[in-house]
């Protein structure tokens, strides 16, 4: 194993000798957003797959969330994203569930405030509105990022509110923190760690719901026109109703 | 195992150059190199500004001295297209990078002469 890791490191460092092209809004992380935005006039398509599986309550459960997203750099500091379609496939052998369901469309905007390289801290604001079948969600994020040489450190504070039901009478909230560190071995190969901390706040009543923490590594590879980033996350909080493992893969290409 | 971990840590720390080391600010030395190449201070400053901001949207700021002039000449036009830089911006980044490279070569030669 040690020899394999050393080989991987050497191969990555060798790749560092190549000045690689890269599309402009590729992601180092899959759960953490970065403060930089796409340059003005750039379009990018992203395909997301998030797989959640196996909670302590149910070992026969798999859920796949699929997203198709189109991003556009409106200015050098403002980016819009359109979730063309979010849909879900889930299989629960314990409760005999096997179904695919369309969920929502959404629009997001990211406004960059400060630069993570030249300013002491890179900051950006994020807003998102999601609309589905008897479902509306509003989400806001503060994104902080600092680039130090080949390292990128990023942190997001997220507040999310959703309304569901015939008259949108069910009101649920969520507070989320994500953080990550990524190291660029070469312009093509990046490796790091991500953390996801979710706190459910039912009805915004002050009563706290589930509180779950995930940590895992991430890997990113970039080619001239496309990139792919993968993050497997493992639950470290031992919450029985939440998946023990989830992983997200994002594939993107710019045009 | 300890040796591997130590090697990794050394490589990681070696990668942590300051921004000024990776992309030197436009000072008297660089201005002198620019003058020899027929490039003005404004262009060099714009080039450096773009190098540490727009180029860093896609990848970490790369130490300019890490790559040869030939590699930069090959890669810069393609990366400038990806970053949606216009012609003036592309020329400025190219001029800045080549001036830093030229300055590095001059400095290296001077160091060699001094050591002789």
């Amino acid at each position: 194993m040690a020899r394999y890791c050393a080989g991987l490191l050497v191969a990555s460092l060798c790749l560092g000798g190549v000045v690689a092209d890269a599309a402009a809004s590729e992601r180092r992380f899959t759960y953490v957003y970065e403060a930089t935005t796409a340059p003005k006039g750039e379009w990018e398509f992203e395909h997301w797959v998030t797989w959640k599986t196996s909670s302590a309550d149910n070992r026969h459960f798999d859920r796949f969330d699929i997203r198709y997203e189109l991003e556009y750099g409106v200015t050098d500091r403002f980016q819009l994203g359109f979730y063309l379609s979010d849909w879900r496939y889930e299989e629960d052998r314990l409760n005999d569930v096997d179904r695919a369901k369309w969920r929502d469309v959404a629009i997001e905007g990211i406004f960059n405030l400060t630069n993570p390289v030249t300013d002491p801290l890179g900051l950006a604001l994020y807003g998102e509105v999601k609309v589905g079948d008897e479902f509306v969600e509003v989400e806001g994020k503060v994104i902080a990022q600092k680039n130090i040489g080949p390292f990128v450190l990023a942190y997001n504070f997220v507040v999310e509110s959703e309304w569901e039901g015939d008259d949108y009478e069910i009101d649920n909230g969520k507070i989320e923190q994500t953080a990550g560190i990524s190291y660029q071995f070469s312009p093509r190969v990046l490796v790091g760690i991500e953390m996801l901390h979710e706190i459910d706040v039912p009805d915004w009543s002050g009563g706290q719901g589930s509180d779950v923490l995930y940590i895992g590594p991430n890997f990113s590879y970039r080619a001239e026109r496309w990139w792919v980033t993968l993050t497997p996350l493992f639950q470290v909080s031992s919450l029985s109703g939440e998946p023990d493992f989830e992983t997200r893969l994002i594939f993107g290409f710019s045009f | 195992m300890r040796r591997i971990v130590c090697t990794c840590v050394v490589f990681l720390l070696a990668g942590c150059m300051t921004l000024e080391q990776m992309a030197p600010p436009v000072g008297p030395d660089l201005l002198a190199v620019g003058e020899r190449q027929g490039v003005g201070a404004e262009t060099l400053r714009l080039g450096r500004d773009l190098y540490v901001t727009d180029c860093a949207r896609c990848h970490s700021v790369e130490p300019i001295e890490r790559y040869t002039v030939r590699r930069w000449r090959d890669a810069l036009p393609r990366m400038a297209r990806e970053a949606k830089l216009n012609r003036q911006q592309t020329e400025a980044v190219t001029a800045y990078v080549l001036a830093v490279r030229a300055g590095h070569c001059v400095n290296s030669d001077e160091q060699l002469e001094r050591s002789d």
Side-chain angles (χ1 to χ4, degrees):
Chain A
M1 182 64 185
R3 192 175 291 176
Y4 175 73
C5 290
L8 195 67
L9 178 69
V10 169
S12 301
L13 290 169
C14 290
L15 281 167
V18 180
V19 185
D21 290 1
S25 53
E26 63 280 89
R27 300 171 59 132
R28 290 171 171 85
F29 309 105
T30 60
Y31 290 85
V32 186
Y33 275 79
E34 292 163 64
T36 46
T37 54
K40 183 181 176 184
E42 181 180 274
W43 286 94
E44 186 177 77
F45 177 78
E46 290 182 3
H47 185 196
W48 297 41
V49 181
T50 307
W51 172 40
K52 299 183 179 186
T53 187
S54 187
S55 67
D57 290 351
N58 184 353
R59 296 288 177 208
H60 306 279
F61 153 84
D62 289 289
R63 178 191 289 167
F64 294 89
D65 287 303
I66 315 288
R67 170 174 296 166
Y68 303 108
E69 182 182 351
L70 200 56
E71 288 183 353
Y72 178 65
V74 181
T75 72
D76 278 341
R77 291 190 155 205
F78 180 59
Q79 166 186 317
L80 278 176
F82 307 94
Y83 299 178
L84 306 176
S85 189
D86 285 356
W87 60 276
R88 171 176 291 175
Y89 169 74
E90 55 190 344
E91 186 181 19
D92 181 348
R93 292 177 293 283
L94 193 67
N95 298 304
D96 203 23
V97 172
D98 185 358
R99 67 182 168 210
K101 189 187 176 194
W102 175 83
R103 285 175 57 77
D104 52 69
V105 292
I107 183 167
E108 70 171 33
I110 305 176
F111 186 71
N112 169 258
L113 300 170
T114 54
N115 188 285
V117 177
T118 53
D119 293 312
L121 186 66
L123 288 170
L125 297 176
Y126 171 108
E128 176 194 307
V129 178
K130 206 179 263 181
V131 180
D133 187 19
E134 297 176 355
F135 167 77
V136 174
E137 183 187 292
V138 179
E139 184 180 319
K141 280 186 178 98
V142 177
I143 303 170
Q145 179 185 338
K146 186 62 193 167
N147 295 18
I148 306 167
F151 288 98
V152 168
L153 294 89
Y155 170 80
N156 299 175
F157 180 78
V158 188
V159 178
E160 202 178 294
S161 197
E162 63 178 47
W163 296 269
E164 286 180 278
D166 293 344
D167 296 317
Y168 301 99
E169 71 280 5
I170 306 166
D171 180 7
N172 286 316
K174 187 188 276 186
I175 294 172
E176 194 176 288
Q177 299 182 88
T178 56
I181 179 167
S182 173
Y183 180 80
Q184 179 180 296
F185 278 107
S186 82
R188 288 197 190 280
V189 180
L190 302 92
V191 177
I193 296 170
E194 277 186 74
M195 181 213 79
L196 166 67
H197 181 208
E198 292 176 328
I199 303 168
D200 283 333
V201 190
D203 294 329
W204 288 111
S205 57
Q208 191 173 310
S210 61
D211 182 342
V212 61
L213 179 66
Y214 292 90
I215 295 177
N218 71 23
F219 312 93
S220 189
Y221 181 81
R222 295 149 176 212
E224 190 170 338
R225 283 274 169 196
W226 60 270
W227 54 270
V228 62
T229 303
L230 173 74
T231 312
L233 288 181
F234 303 88
Q235 194 194 145
V236 292
S237 52
S238 308
L239 194 70
S240 59
E242 296 292 326
D244 287 342
F245 174 79
E246 67 176 82
T247 187
R248 179 173 290 166
L249 179 116
I250 306 180
F251 167 77
F253 66 88
S254 59
F255 52 94
Chain B
M1 186 62 190
R2 187 180 291 176
R3 191 177 294 174
I4 290 170
V5 171
C6 290
T7 308
C8 291
V9 169
V10 167
F11 271 118
L12 293 177
L13 292 176
C16 289
M17 299 168 74
T18 64
L19 185 60
E20 285 67 30
Q21 287 170 317
M22 293 187 288
V26 181
D29 291 351
L30 206 56
L31 285 172
V33 176
E35 206 173 302
R36 282 200 296 276
Q37 296 181 335
V39 181
E42 289 268 304
T43 304
L44 289 175
R45 287 198 183 98
L46 173 64
R48 200 232 177 208
D49 186 39
L50 291 165
Y51 187 80
V52 298
T53 55
D54 283 48
C55 298
R57 287 174 197 270
C58 310
H59 49 74
S60 299
V61 175
E62 288 287 310
I64 291 171
E65 293 163 8
R66 180 176 288 173
Y67 305 105
T68 62
V69 169
R70 192 175 164 184
R71 281 223 167 118
W72 279 119
R73 282 193 190 281
D74 181 46
L76 277 170
R78 292 200 310 269
M79 289 195 284
R81 266 198 306 276
E82 291 296 329
K84 307 284 183 201
L85 300 186
N86 63 31
R87 190 176 163 185
Q88 185 204 0
Q89 291 170 322
T90 305
E91 285 173 358
V93 172
T94 306
Y96 168 72
V97 168
L98 296 182
V100 172
R101 279 296 314 175
H104 173 65
C105 292
V106 170
N107 290 339
S108 301
D109 290 346
E110 283 171 0
Q111 281 168 5
L112 279 175
E113 280 170 20
R114 259 184 246 137
S115 64
D116 289 342

